[in-house]
Amino acid sequence: MSGLEKALFNLKFTAKQLNRQAAKAGKDETAEKNKLKKAIQQNHNDIAKIYAQNAIRKENERLNLLRLASRIDAVSSRVQTAVTMRSVTGSMANVVKGMDQAMKAMDLEKISAVMDKFETQFEDLDVATGYYENATSSATAVGTPQEDVDRLMNKVADEAGVELHQEMEAATPAKTKVGPTEQDEENLGERLRALRS
């Protein structure tokens, strides 16, 4: 196994670990929301605020871990492209040798077969490179602003059928988070499966 292939393995392993940690943060977020709901039902608003902050922090942690995993996956894809390029370069050297032999014999069928093989490999590489370049997008991390805490507490209180007995400051609309949509991710996943098969 070459150095590039070892690096590729380590990158994929790290991305997998980050995805596991993101899943754990998601479970922790759900647990904090459940605690928040219980605290609101029991009229413990101060404790509810703490649980709301924890839930938002866990949600942000999960998103940050997923973003980092995505970026590592993008680097992994570029390393995969390098490994593929090295393989294609070796194949091209063989093709050139084959072309030399074919040119000596001037066998047009051999020349055509060698050129077809070369074009196929080049197209495969082009498709793979295009996928890897479009696989990532960047997004910014956010903190836990008070309006998010208040909004989450109101949402959980509404779901629990409990009225909050505190004055909430007028919440301002949160800024929209930038990132790939679920549809984009599904399309990228389908393209990747098509490339692998």
Side-chain angles (χ1 to χ4, degrees), residues 32-86:
E32 291 295 328
K33 284 183 179 178
N34 289 337
K35 291 177 186 176
L36 168 63
K37 188 175 188 178
K38 187 175 180 181
I40 289 174
Q41 288 173 337
Q42 294 174 352
N43 234 359
H44 298 280
N45 291 334
D46 291 339
I47 295 172
K49 273 188 179 182
I50 293 169
Y51 289 142
Q53 289 172 345
N54 289 345
I56 290 171
R57 190 178 68 252
K58 286 295 180 181
E59 178 184 13
N60 289 334
E61 178 184 343
R62 180 179 62 86
L63 291 173
N64 288 334
L65 287 168
L66 289 173
R67 283 185 193 108
L68 184 57
S70 175
R71 288 178 182 160
I72 289 176
D73 189 49
V75 171
S76 162
S77 297
R78 288 195 172 95
V79 171
Q80 178 67 51
T81 301
V83 169
T84 304
M85 284 294 289
R86 189 174 57 194

Side-chain angles (χ1 to χ4, degrees), residues 22 55 75 95 126 165:
V75 171
V95 168
D126 194 36
H165 298 291

Side-chain angles (χ1 to χ4, degrees), residues 136-155:
T136 61
S137 66
S138 62
T140 57
V142 294
T144 55
Q146 184 61 37
E147 63 234 13
D148 288 348
V149 173
D150 295 341
R151 190 178 313 108
L152 179 61
M153 288 179 64
N154 283 328
K155 179 182 174 187

Side-chain angles (χ1 to χ4, degrees), residues 12-182:
K12 287 183 178 181
F13 183 74
T14 302
K16 195 172 189 178
Q17 282 183 320
L18 288 171
N19 283 322
R20 282 190 190 132
Q21 289 175 354
K24 183 182 182 309
K27 288 179 184 176
D28 291 346
E29 175 192 357
T30 303
E32 291 295 328
K33 284 183 179 178
N34 289 337
K35 291 177 186 176
L36 168 63
K37 188 175 188 178
K38 187 175 180 181
I40 289 174
Q41 288 173 337
Q42 294 174 352
N43 234 359
H44 298 280
N45 291 334
D46 291 339
I47 295 172
K49 273 188 179 182
I50 293 169
Y51 289 142
Q53 289 172 345
N54 289 345
I56 290 171
R57 190 178 68 252
K58 286 295 180 181
E59 178 184 13
N60 289 334
E61 178 184 343
R62 180 179 62 86
L63 291 173
N64 288 334
L65 287 168
L66 289 173
R67 283 185 193 108
L68 184 57
S70 175
R71 288 178 182 160
I72 289 176
D73 189 49
V75 171
S76 162
S77 297
R78 288 195 172 95
V79 171
Q80 178 67 51
T81 301
V83 169
T84 304
M85 284 294 289
R86 189 174 57 194
S87 171
V88 168
T89 301
S91 297
M92 286 172 56
N94 291 336
V95 168
V96 169
K97 288 177 187 174
M99 285 178 66
D100 284 343
Q101 292 173 358
M103 291 300 282
K104 287 178 185 174
M106 287 304 288
D107 187 350
L108 293 178
E109 289 179 16
K110 281 186 180 179
I111 293 172
S112 177
V114 168
M115 291 303 290
D116 288 345
K117 182 178 176 185
F118 177 79
E119 285 179 25
T120 302
Q121 289 176 342
F122 190 76
E123 287 171 2
D124 290 347
L125 178 63
D126 194 36
V127 169
T129 302
Y131 169 75
Y132 295 133
E133 289 173 358
N134 293 321
T136 61
S137 66
S138 62
T140 57
V142 294
T144 55
Q146 184 61 37
E147 63 234 13
D148 288 348
V149 173
D150 295 341
R151 190 178 313 108
L152 179 61
M153 288 179 64
N154 283 328
K155 179 182 174 187
V156 172
D158 289 345
E159 289 173 0
V162 176
E163 254 185 72
L164 271 181
H165 298 291
Q166 66 179 5
E167 290 187 26
M168 304 289 263
E169 293 181 22
T172 57
K175 295 181 181 176
T176 305
K177 295 177 184 172
V178 179
T181 63
E182 288 183 29

